[in-house]
């Protein structure tokens, strides 16, 4: 089976400009695939549908980019979700901009509110594994929509929960603004989790640092599941997309199949470079 993954070919500097220009007159969402997400994209047709509807797909893995090069495939540039979140909070978002944070703790929300003077920050804190509860999903969606129009909505609830919520907001057509699926980025911004040293990030082995920090949680992901990428990539077609001009328009596709909230267990896998 040949799987097709389309990636928007932007580095951090370019992506931050494109995202900052999105505005709040329409709704869209950004996904940030790492190795684990690419494997899920190959295996899971519903997850592919979530990516199908994303406005932007920004590669969150230096390892993935370098592996594409070694295999002679199109090599997308890298824009880590954590770095993009940092640039938006420190350089793009203004004090009065309406921002929504989904996930994280009340203390983390207050930290961001105070550090970046985000007087219009709205925090939504859904319960653990809420995606399996239709009422909890509805409550989360309504809380986000009540804060619309927003400039940005940071979805920090792990994959695939964050992508499901991002898609459902688009499906309902109420929210306006840009949602970003950023996984663990808020933990890094608030100091709840430490990122790898810069030299490890540049070498594309940030995954090793996370494995050492939390082997019980990360061992299966990085040592069992992750190596599958070397077998799957030869069966995948990587298509690069790059809109012309600074104020690029998001992708538009024909409707994908309607998605349902699954009752199957979902393993939380926060987005982070692999």
């Amino acid at each position: 089976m040949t799987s097709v993954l389309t990636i928007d070919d932007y580095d951090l500097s370019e992506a931050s400009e494109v995202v900052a220009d999105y505005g709040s007159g329409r709704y869209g969402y950004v996904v940030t695939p790492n190795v684990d997400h690419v494997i899920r994209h190959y295996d899971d047709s519903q997850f592919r549908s979530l990516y199908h509807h994303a406005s932007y797909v920004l590669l969150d893995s230096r390892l993935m980019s370098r592996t594409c090069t070694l295999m002679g495939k199109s090599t997308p540039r890298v824009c880590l979700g954590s770095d993009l979140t940092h640039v938006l909070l420190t350089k793009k978002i203004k004090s009065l901009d309406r921002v929504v944070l989904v996930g994280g703790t009340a203390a983390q929300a207050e930290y961001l509110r105070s550090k970046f003077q985000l007087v219009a920050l709205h925090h939504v804190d859904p319960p653990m594994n809420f995606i399996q509860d239709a009422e909890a999903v509805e409550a989360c969606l309504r809380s986000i929509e009540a804060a619309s129009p927003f400039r940005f909505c940071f979805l920090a609830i792990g994959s695939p929960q964050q992508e499901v919520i991002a898609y459902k907001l688009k499906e309902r057509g109420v929210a306006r603004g840009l949602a970003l699926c950023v996984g663990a980025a808020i933990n890094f911004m608030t100091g709840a989790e430490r990122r790898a040293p810069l030299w490890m990030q540049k070498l594309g082995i940030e995954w090793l640092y996370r494995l050492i920090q939390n082997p019980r949680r990360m061992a299966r992901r990085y040592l069992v599941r992750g190596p599958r990428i070397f077998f799957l990539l030869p069966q995948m077609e990587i298509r690069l997309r790059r809109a012309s001009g600074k104020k690029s328009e998001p992708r538009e596709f024909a409707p994908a199949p309607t998605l349902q909230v699954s009752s199957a267990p979902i393993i939380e896998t926060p987005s982070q470079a692999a």
Side-chain angles (χ1 to χ4, degrees):
M1 178 182 72
T2 300
S3 175
V4 177
L5 174 62
T6 301
I7 296 175
D8 291 285
D9 190 28
Y10 295 108
D11 60 18
L12 174 62
S13 175
E14 294 168 330
S16 62
E17 292 298 318
V18 169
V19 166
D21 283 339
Y22 191 84
S24 56
R26 53 182 172 162
Y27 174 79
Y29 64 93
V30 178
V31 293
T32 53
N34 58 25
V35 167
D36 190 65
H37 301 167
V38 173
I39 293 172
R40 181 178 285 125
H41 183 278
Y42 182 91
D43 290 339
D44 187 341
S45 62
Q46 288 220 328
F47 194 71
R48 287 196 296 273
S49 292
L50 300 175
Y51 269 49
H52 180 95
H53 285 282
S55 301
Y56 301 105
V57 179
L58 303 174
L59 184 62
D60 191 52
S61 172
R62 290 188 177 96
L63 175 61
M64 174 80 178
S65 178
R66 290 169 182 169
T67 302
C68 285
T69 301
L70 291 174
M71 291 185 175
K73 292 183 173 291
S74 300
T75 304
R77 285 178 288 180
V78 176
C79 176
L80 303 185
S82 298
D83 291 340
L84 179 60
T85 301
H86 181 271
V87 169
L88 294 178
L89 285 168
T90 58
K91 297 182 179 180
K92 302 297 183 181
I93 297 175
K94 298 178 175 60
S95 180
L96 296 178
D97 286 341
R98 183 169 294 182
V99 176
V100 181
L101 170 63
V102 182
T105 65
Q108 286 178 302
E110 185 54 39
Y111 174 89
L112 296 176
R113 191 177 288 114
S114 174
K115 182 175 179 62
F116 301 107
Q117 300 180 339
L118 302 177
V119 299
L121 174 66
H122 179 72
H123 182 218
V124 180
D125 185 17
M128 186 68 70
N129 294 324
F130 78 101
I131 206 70
Q132 300 175 48
D133 183 338
E135 291 186 3
V137 169
E138 178 66 21
C140 177
L141 294 170
R142 288 189 178 186
S143 293
I144 297 170
E145 290 166 347
S148 171
F150 44 77
R151 187 173 185 191
F152 298 115
C153 174
F154 293 104
L155 296 169
I157 47 179
S159 179
Q161 291 88 197
Q162 57 198 14
E163 291 85 2
V164 170
I165 292 299
Y167 168 77
K168 284 189 168 294
L169 289 169
K170 179 173 184 176
E171 182 182 46
R172 290 156 67 102
V174 176
R176 294 291 181 270
L178 187 66
L180 299 101
C181 299
V182 296
I186 298 301
N187 284 345
F188 296 131
M189 288 296 302
T190 60
E193 253 185 274
R194 293 181 59 186
R195 286 192 73 177
L198 189 59
W199 68 269
M200 295 186 80
Q201 295 181 40
K202 289 182 176 179
L203 287 175
I205 56 172
E206 197 164 356
W207 64 270
L208 179 59
Y209 182 83
R210 298 194 79 201
L211 176 62
I212 294 170
Q213 292 292 308
N214 196 339
R216 179 174 295 182
R217 179 185 172 197
M218 296 297 180
R220 183 180 181 278
R221 175 178 175 182
Y222 290 137
L223 300 181
V224 178
R225 178 177 169 85
R228 286 189 64 213
I229 194 66
F230 300 110
F231 300 96
L232 297 184
L233 264 183
Q235 304 175 58
M236 299 182 68
E237 179 183 351
I238 306 298
R239 294 179 182 173
L240 303 187
R241 173 188 178 272
R242 184 175 174 82
S244 59
K246 180 179 176 182
K247 294 190 176 182
S248 59
E249 290 296 320
R251 291 183 295 175
E252 291 294 338
F253 292 105
T258 301
L259 298 173
Q260 302 294 329
V261 177
S262 173
S263 59
I266 294 176
I267 299 174
E268 183 175 348
T269 55
S271 171
Q272 174 57 20

